[in-house]
Amino acid sequence: MLELFQSDWRDFWVGSESQEPAGAVFTRPEIVELILDMAGYSATDKHLSQFRLLEPSCGDGAFLVVAVRRLIESEQLHAKEIDWTAPHLSAAIRAADINLVSVKTAKGLVVAALNGAGCPPAEAKALAEKWIVQTDFLLCEWPNQFDFVIGNPPYVRLEDVPKRVMMRYRELFRTLTDRADLYIAFFERGLQLLSKSGTLAFICANRFTKNKYGEALRRLVAEKYHVRSYVNLEHTQPFLSEVSAYPAIVVVDRNKGKPTRAATLEDITPNTISSVRRESLGKRAPKRIVSQFASWYPKGEPWLTTSETEHGLLDSLNRTLPSLEDSGPRTKVGIGVATGADSVYVLKHLHPAIEVSRQIPLVMAADVGNEELQWSGRFLLNPFADEDDGTLVNLREYPGLSSYLAVHGDHLKQRHVAKDKPTTWFRTIDRIWPSLQHKSKLVIPDIQGSSTIGFDEGKFYPHHNLYYITSASWPLLALKALLRSDIVYQQVRAYSVQMRGGSVRFQAQTLRRVRLPSLQSLSDKIIARLVAVSQDKDQGAIDDAAREAYSVAR
């Protein structure tokens, strides 16, 4: 055992009240069986005692116990009689966990499984002791490579790991960039430990497939390994308890150049799981749920979609059309104001004691609709000067504003932005540009399940949970129609990290990746048609107009 971790992983979580092992999320049995099948850990196809399996974060044994049962079944099929003391049997499995309670639980379950198969108690205990160790998988010196690295790595934010441990992890694993989750390091270490014909199969958060912190891991996999299977489970709940994770099954081996089979599941019913198993493992090309890719994102770019057809569309759009901001001169995407203290700066109505010039009508996400804005009557308190030069007002010139801010001064001065610059303690986190209020703009709620695009003719300032688009060239209603179309929503869904229930995020970085027809490619007739349907309730009419615009531009 490593000296660094002498007792229990939870001992290092100062102030934590959790009674569960840190980062533990336990997988449903049917999903465990599917993952082992997809990895090829099969009792009938292989004499499993001739292979080495590693479970790097065994928890209470969800994967480990099933693997042991398969090992026993394989031994019963391929050996005349099980020799419970055979060296190859004791070497067939290794499992690790940092949590002592989990290790003891897993050992008890493994002993019970072995006893149930006829293994004498002494030999069962010896095998469990050999197979399962309490250690930090990431820091342990593993003496062998493994044919299978399988499991459910912990869901722990790297910044929540004790600082001395985090620093060591960052020294050892080059994929731990930005604000990576700990499972990223489990991937890198697991891949390092694969034998030449080895397979890694994890169920983990799917965030690394699209976001910034997963870039280094995606690039590593693209350069040296092969994604055999990828099953996106973000719309399902494959765990025994309700968690807010967005999971996926990832199966990786060293067979570079081979095709990848991928799918996104809307449910995990027995029929669906059976279909995924059949199509992922079958010799024939899949046709229904699973898609086959000849090449899986070979440069380590974000894994945008599991649909080969949709991937082809996105690739075509990226090759032939400009991005949103390049589609027309002086077209820009921005985000609304973050105040750092909405309870102070966002007023439910015009405040009678504060100067009217310091109160700007504020549009919120809930106010936005495709047909028209339904303003809730809120105002934004503006401490910035009207000159749009970033300076703050002189509070002596605005006694009403000054008195109001003074009442809330203690609260405002506790913010980081105020501590960093005490003389400007009353500023909002984001700078307010007064001229933005008077510009015509599209306003787009961040998280939504469809394309809701509002139009503001120049009356409001956008709140921070809204993104906005201004343009000196586009007729904004024509642009609104395009952004409401299914063609654009497909792009947003591909580029966005999806949320529970299928919602997507219309963030600035996502909107900037959307490809549109260039304004100059569209005739006055097409522009007029887009404007005419921009606020229509009929999605079909919007999609028809958008398809015409896209077909002309490509």
Side-chain angles (χ1 to χ4, degrees), residues 65-137:
V65 172
V66 178
V68 168
R69 288 172 181 161
R70 291 190 177 204
L71 175 63
I72 294 169
E73 181 185 353
S74 174
E75 204 66 7
Q76 291 169 337
L77 288 171
H78 296 281
K80 293 181 179 179
E81 183 177 350
I82 299 178
D83 180 358
W84 298 105
T85 62
H88 64 270
L89 197 62
S90 65
I93 288 176
R94 290 293 180 271
D97 204 282
I98 199 75
N99 183 273
L100 183 59
V101 174
S102 294
V103 167
K104 289 181 177 179
T105 301
K107 285 180 178 179
L109 292 172
V110 166
V111 167
L114 290 168
N115 290 160
C119 181
E123 283 79 356
K125 184 178 179 181
L127 282 172
E129 291 293 328
K130 185 73 172 179
W131 285 345
I132 309 166
V133 294
Q134 186 202 8
T135 188
D136 182 342
F137 165 71

Side-chain angles (χ1 to χ4, degrees), residues 488-506:
V488 168
Y489 188 74
Q490 283 186 63
Q491 296 180 66
V492 172
R493 185 179 60 196
Y495 298 135
S496 165
V497 174
Q498 292 197 32
M499 312 302 288
R500 183 69 65 216
S503 296
V504 298
R505 302 198 66 180
F506 282 70

